[in-house]
Amino acid sequence: MTESGNIWIRMHGLLTRFLNMSEFTHFDERGRAVMVDVADKDDTRRIAVASGRIRMLPDTLTRILGGQAAKGDALGIARIAAIQATKRTAELIPLCHPIALTRVGVEFSHDVGESWVACEVTAETVGKTGVEMEALTGVSVALLTIYDMCKAVDRGMRMTDIRLLEKQGGRSGHWQAERHA
């Protein structure tokens, strides 16, 4: 329903007001979910970098770094899971376009003192739409994979700080988040 420029949408029984629907590209003028039309966009090289961390007990990190997780090489399996997830993002996120990825990079780092593993995923394509969701999905699934492989010894692991770090290409050009520790 519309009212003097405002859009009201009922979702899960809650009525939510959006002041300017033009800012939300996945909704039409009536507030209905739509897949964005990218037909008139130019093909450009597009890159997105996302990151996240999983915090854990010190013993869990020691096992991961030593390749002693009960289910095997946690970081090796998480790397493959991240790559696979980027390729299947459109199957998981309803309004994402299927994208032909040209490259996916997955890097892990860790901090023994703070007891975390970080994952950074870089997704690239040449196409009409960006790869931010692919990079974010890759990070999320990598961290979930680490959780799955180590949950028998540490059910309290926490995935944190999952976010987009950078995107390049397309009409909006280059965007970079403020880096923080």
Side-chain angles (χ1 to χ4, degrees):
M1 91 177 81
T2 61
E3 167 192 302
S4 64
N6 295 326
I7 302 286
W8 293 84
I9 300 174
R10 184 171 301 281
M11 293 185 287
H12 305 290
L14 299 174
L15 195 59
T16 304
R17 179 177 64 138
F18 294 96
L19 297 177
N20 185 354
M21 286 307 287
S22 66
E23 296 177 30
F24 295 92
T25 58
H26 284 85
F27 292 101
D28 67 12
E29 66 282 347
R30 292 174 48 196
R32 296 177 301 188
V34 296
M35 187 177 216
V36 176
D37 182 357
V38 297
D40 292 332
K41 289 185 170 185
D42 293 330
D43 284 342
T44 62
R45 182 171 185 220
R46 295 164 184 270
I47 302 169
V49 181
S51 70
R53 294 182 186 172
I54 185 165
R55 298 181 182 278
M56 62 197 66
L57 295 171
D59 181 61
T60 307
L61 181 59
T62 299
R63 289 176 189 225
I64 289 172
L65 297 178
Q68 300 167 342
K71 292 184 177 182
D73 176 11
L75 297 181
I77 300 300
R79 180 183 314 280
I80 298 300
I83 293 168
Q84 182 176 333
T86 61
K87 297 188 308 184
R88 301 190 75 168
T89 299
E91 295 174 34
L92 300 170
I93 311 295
L95 299 177
C96 282
H97 291 84
I99 293 178
L101 295 167
T102 57
R103 184 179 89 81
V104 175
V106 181
E107 298 296 329
F108 293 101
S109 58
H110 66 275
D111 185 308
V112 174
E114 296 290 322
S115 197
W116 53 254
V117 171
C119 178
E120 186 171 288
V121 172
T122 302
E124 296 186 28
T125 192
V126 175
K128 297 179 181 299
T129 190
V131 288
E132 297 92 340
M133 295 308 298
E134 286 71 15
L136 287 161
T137 300
V139 166
S140 299
V141 170
L143 299 178
L144 285 166
T145 300
I146 292 169
Y147 185 93
D148 179 54
M149 295 194 68
C150 300
K151 69 184 178 218
V153 297
D154 187 355
R155 293 195 188 276
M157 290 176 283
R158 293 183 330 271
M159 290 162 272
T160 65
D161 304 318
I162 298 170
R163 68 189 192 124
L164 183 67
L165 296 176
E166 183 175 6
K167 60 101 26 212
Q168 298 177 40
R171 290 182 191 157
S172 61
H174 187 216
W175 176 87
Q176 195 164 11
E178 288 185 30
R179 297 270 179 157
H180 68 278

